Amino acid sequence: MRIAIVTESFPPDVNGVAHSVVRAAEHLVARGHEPLVVAPAPPGAERHDAGAYPYPVVRIPSVPMPGYQGFRLGVPTGPRLAGVLLGHRPDVVHLASPFVLGARAATLAARHRLPSVAVYQTDVASYARAYRLSWGEAAAWRRLREIHNSVGRTLAPSTRAAADLIANGVQRIWLWRRGVDAERFQPARRCDDLRARLAPNGELLVGYVGRLAPEKRVDLLASVARLPGVRVVVAGDGPVRRQLARALPEVTFLGVQHGEDLARLYASLDVFVHTGPHETFGQTVQEALASGVPVVAPAAGGPVDLVETGVTGVLVPPGDGEALAAAVAALGADESRRAAYGRAARAAVRRRSWAVVGDELIGHYEAVVAGASAVADLSAAS
């Protein structure tokens, strides 16, 4: 099949949307398909992606998102998007977290009767609240409903995300979770030297990995950082890093971590803490679980599907820093419990490979293509 993937985010962006698009496109190539990626251009000089990926990447002009200068919004002005999209002659159009660039692509796909799949990955309505955007949550959901109801099916990453979509009038929803690289993220990556640098006195090492943005509520780590015998480390970057560094002087900020460095960090932690209540999935939670690390996370969004309280970690009330700290303290006091949770965590996700979920994605493509063909046959016969 020929697949046009239109995404709101792509490397050098570091987030779940960009990562999942890269892994999906890689899998499509490995299975003999022909993907094309259309994505916003990064800031500064025009980025040249030729040869960087085993598939073509076309960049669309972009502007910074209001309130978050580090994130770019693709601006599909003029005929370029239509020319690129139709020029690829896709069998199916894949819309990754569509809202701006993806909305225009959804319109083009519907106009030209191209089978399409939309992947819901970003809680845009919550972002509108967090960043106090003028158009607000209700307008965000109206736009999302229009986009998603124009496609053949919407793929939701978790049961909570699917419930939100249903509650807001989105139809034709299927569950499609994310994969994890269980070879890269595994307990064997644990590094004593790294632990000695980050927790030199043998403290309980607690970590967070992710974007440093208002909706992630990393400020809730303050209560955890004040626990005696605990060291907290944060990997990531974003618009509120400086504010967080001032507000959390006890926390070590490591910046963005990649590849083997990230794998070593996960595996070297004693407890992973996720703070954000608006995750549609929670890829960093899954990577920590694959690394054999118990997780403390809010009982909201994607983590509800990933973390089983009393088995692989602890779910706590969203937005409650004291509850986070209490859960970490309880795990810190019980090494055997942490070890049991870590073993169960690894077992729970180790078979969720990108190859498995990539094949599931191809199945969704095939279903919408078959559905579009059946509709065309009925129209021709009537």
Side-chain angles (χ1 to χ4, degrees):
M1 282 189 292
R2 298 176 65 84
I3 303 99
I5 303 176
V6 181
T7 178
E8 304 288 343
S9 186
F10 194 70
D13 296 345
V14 180
N15 56 52
V17 175
H19 180 66
S20 64
V21 167
V22 169
R23 299 310 298 264
E26 288 174 348
H27 183 73
L28 291 170
V29 171
R31 289 288 192 259
H33 301 288
E34 298 177 61
L36 161 77
V37 171
V38 182
E46 184 176 349
R47 181 182 176 91
H48 297 285
D49 291 302
Y53 302 97
Y55 44 83
V57 177
V58 175
R59 296 289 185 167
I60 298 295
S62 67
V63 297
M65 174 178 153
Y68 188 175
Q69 297 294 300
F71 187 84
R72 310 289 294 189
L73 298 174
V75 182
T77 57
R80 189 179 184 200
L81 178 60
V84 169
L85 191 65
L86 300 177
H88 188 59
R89 296 179 290 107
D91 298 296
V92 64
V93 176
H94 171 144
L95 307 173
S97 197
F99 196 73
V100 180
L101 184 60
R104 175 61 178 158
T107 299
L108 289 167
R111 180 179 302 162
H112 294 277
R113 298 184 179 180
L114 297 172
S116 56
V117 168
V119 182
Y120 177 70
Q121 292 180 257
T122 305
D123 187 350
V124 178
S126 294
Y127 281 24
R129 181 174 65 248
Y131 290 96
R132 300 177 182 178
L133 300 178
S134 59
W135 30 271
E137 292 179 73
W141 272 117
R142 283 195 297 272
R143 187 173 181 85
L144 287 169
R145 182 165 53 250
E146 180 180 349
I147 295 167
H148 285 272
N149 284 344
S150 73
V151 304
R153 61 176 57 183
T154 285
L155 307 182
S158 65
T159 55
R160 290 294 178 95
D164 286 343
L165 290 165
I166 292 168
N168 284 279
V170 176
Q171 304 166 358
R172 299 182 298 279
I173 300 166
W174 275 257
L175 196 62
W176 180 61
R177 294 186 170 93
R178 305 292 174 266
V180 65
D181 187 344
E183 291 302 310
R184 169 167 289 174
F185 301 110
Q186 58 171 293
R189 306 291 185 189
R190 191 174 178 90
C191 177
D192 291 338
D193 288 344
L194 179 60
R195 286 184 55 81
R197 291 198 301 274
L198 298 177
N201 298 312
E203 298 95 335
L204 187 82
L205 189 58
V206 177
Y208 165 90
V209 176
R211 284 190 305 112
L212 306 184
E215 74 278 2
K216 298 297 184 180
R217 295 302 315 274
V218 181
D219 59 291
L220 295 173
L221 290 174
S223 298
V224 178
R226 288 194 292 266
L227 291 171
V230 169
R231 291 296 298 270
V232 176
V233 297
V234 168
D237 203 353
V240 298
R241 177 174 176 171
R242 290 183 180 180
Q243 297 96 302
L244 288 170
R246 290 194 297 268
L248 305 173
E250 309 94 341
V251 172
T252 300
F253 289 83
L254 302 174
V256 178
Q257 302 289 298
H258 297 284
E260 297 306 310
D261 290 338
L262 179 59
R264 279 192 292 271
L265 176 62
Y266 275 125
S268 300
L269 299 174
D270 295 306
V271 180
F272 181 83
V273 175
H274 186 74
T275 51
H278 303 303
E279 300 299 320
T280 58
F281 182 68
Q283 185 64 15
T284 60
V285 170
Q286 185 165 243
E287 289 168 352
L289 294 170
S291 302
V293 179
V295 172
V296 177
V304 172
D305 287 356
L306 295 172
V307 179
E308 185 176 357
T309 292
V311 178
T312 61
V314 183
L315 292 172
V316 300
D320 191 336
E322 296 303 322
L324 285 172
V328 169
L331 285 170
D334 192 339
E335 183 176 358
S336 62
R337 183 180 169 199
R338 293 200 308 273
Y341 283 12
R343 289 190 296 272
R346 171 72 178 173
V349 302
R350 64 181 301 176
R351 291 183 178 84
R352 296 180 188 170
S353 70
W354 280 105
V356 169
V357 300
D359 285 344
E360 291 175 359
L361 179 61
I362 293 169
H364 289 296
Y365 292 163
E366 292 171 342
V368 296
V369 169
S373 296
V375 170
D377 289 343
L378 286 172
S379 298
S382 60

